[in-house]
Amino acid sequence: MVAGALALPGRAAAQQPITRQAAAESALTHGAAAALARASATSARAQLRTARAYPNPAFSTSYSKDAPQYHALLDIPVELPWLRGARIGAAGAADVSAQYTFEFARASIRYDVDTAYTKALASAAHARLSRRNAQDADSLLRMATMRRDAGDASELDVQLATVNAGELEDIALADSLDATSDVLQLQRLMGLPADTVTIALADSLALPVVADPPAGRAATTSPAAAGDAPTLQVAAASAALRSANQSLALARGSVWSAPSLQVGFDAHDPTGAETGLLPTVGLSLPL
């Protein structure tokens, strides 16, 4: 049956044995949830780099019929310090929030995979037990039939054994289906196709061995002290709040656009009255 193949990797050559740790690493590398969280964190980091960049200058040239006829102008945006600081602060806080969210997503993925792996192991063990019960019920049915044929049992005993064997067979099939479904769910979390079973569970349901704490240090951390450290979700929310406050400050300070410094030159006087380059300088105030 499928449940037996899930519990015994050697019986299914096409199935790859997967440990609990390997399943978690696969989910963090190939899982859809990890990819989405990674994309969000990368996007926030890119927005921080964009916020730190200085605006590009603009160079323009023109021609006029009046002398001098050639004009060149370089427009250099001048960022106001309080606006630049608010923009970078908002992007930096958003990046911190995204990184905390990413770490929380990784922890959640590990938890989900560990839970799914344990559930799949339990379902496989339950399916094996149900299969053995069904086999025992089938043996009892054959024994009842032989006893009836020998005159040592009635037809009612055979009918009861038949009903019992049928019920246990249905239970075994349902448990086998549940075990297969749990493995497919684990494969989905790992980022693998979930249309057929391609892995075998290599770990067992044995409890992990936890080392005893050193003497005198068992009660050094109180529940109150442990609760002082914020969780990843709280830290991410706090960083998002700081980002929102910085964005609000940026919006309030952006009533007037940043000015720009303009430098350039004029050249080519057909009359010959002016020779060489005539420098120009100015200040642009966007309205």
Side-chain angles (χ1 to χ4, degrees):
M1 295 299 294
V2 177
L6 296 179
L8 301 175
R11 296 178 57 183
Q15 296 176 3
Q16 179 182 2
I18 295 294
T19 62
R20 190 185 301 268
Q21 180 64 25
E25 294 299 330
S26 177
L28 293 174
T29 305
H30 306 291
L36 181 60
R38 192 180 304 111
S40 298
T42 304
S43 176
R45 183 59 53 87
Q47 292 177 6
L48 175 59
R49 293 181 178 179
T50 302
R52 288 174 175 172
Y54 288 93
N56 295 324
F59 178 76
S60 62
T61 60
S62 61
Y63 170 83
S64 64
K65 196 171 183 179
D66 297 335
Q69 296 177 323
Y70 301 149
H71 312 278
L73 187 65
L74 180 64
D75 191 274
I76 305 175
V78 179
E79 284 197 300
L80 300 177
W82 55 89
L83 295 182
R84 176 175 174 81
R87 185 178 71 249
I88 295 178
D95 177 64
V96 172
S97 177
Q99 299 306 319
Y100 281 135
T101 303
F102 177 61
E103 292 301 325
F104 177 78
R106 288 174 57 88
S108 298
I109 291 171
R110 286 186 176 275
Y111 174 80
D112 292 340
V113 171
D114 185 79
T115 303
Y117 197 99
T118 301
K119 185 179 179 182
L121 284 174
S123 297
H126 193 263
R128 291 195 302 270
L129 178 60
S130 298
R131 174 48 49 191
R132 286 197 295 266
N133 291 337
Q135 292 173 352
D136 293 342
D138 186 68
S139 299
L140 290 177
L141 174 60
R142 290 196 299 269
M143 292 175 59
T145 303
M146 295 174 60
R147 290 179 58 193
R148 181 201 59 188
D149 296 341
D152 192 28
S154 64
E155 182 65 26
L156 179 60
D157 295 332
V158 175
Q159 295 298 326
L160 291 175
T162 301
V163 172
N164 183 61
E167 291 179 349
L168 293 179
E169 180 67 22
D170 291 341
I171 294 175
L173 292 176
D175 291 342
S176 178
L177 180 62
D178 291 341
T180 303
S181 177
D182 290 339
V183 173
L184 293 179
Q185 173 66 11
L186 177 61
Q187 291 182 185
R188 185 187 65 81
L189 294 175
M190 293 171 57
L192 301 177
D195 54 348
T196 183
V197 176
T198 58
I199 65 173
L201 306 181
D203 288 352
S204 65
L205 282 172
L207 294 176
V209 179
V210 180
D212 294 333
R217 297 186 59 186
T220 56
T221 303
S222 63
D228 291 341
T231 63
L232 289 175
Q233 286 179 307
V234 174
S238 299
L241 178 60
R242 293 196 303 270
S243 176
N245 290 333
Q246 292 288 338
S247 298
L248 179 60
L250 176 62
R252 289 176 175 175
S254 299
V255 177
W256 297 99
S257 300
S260 60
L261 179 64
Q262 296 179 338
V263 295
F265 63 88
D266 296 336
H268 190 249
D269 186 354
T271 64
E274 297 289 348
T275 59
L277 301 178
L278 302 177
T280 61
V281 64
L283 183 65
S284 174
L285 297 175
L287 301 179

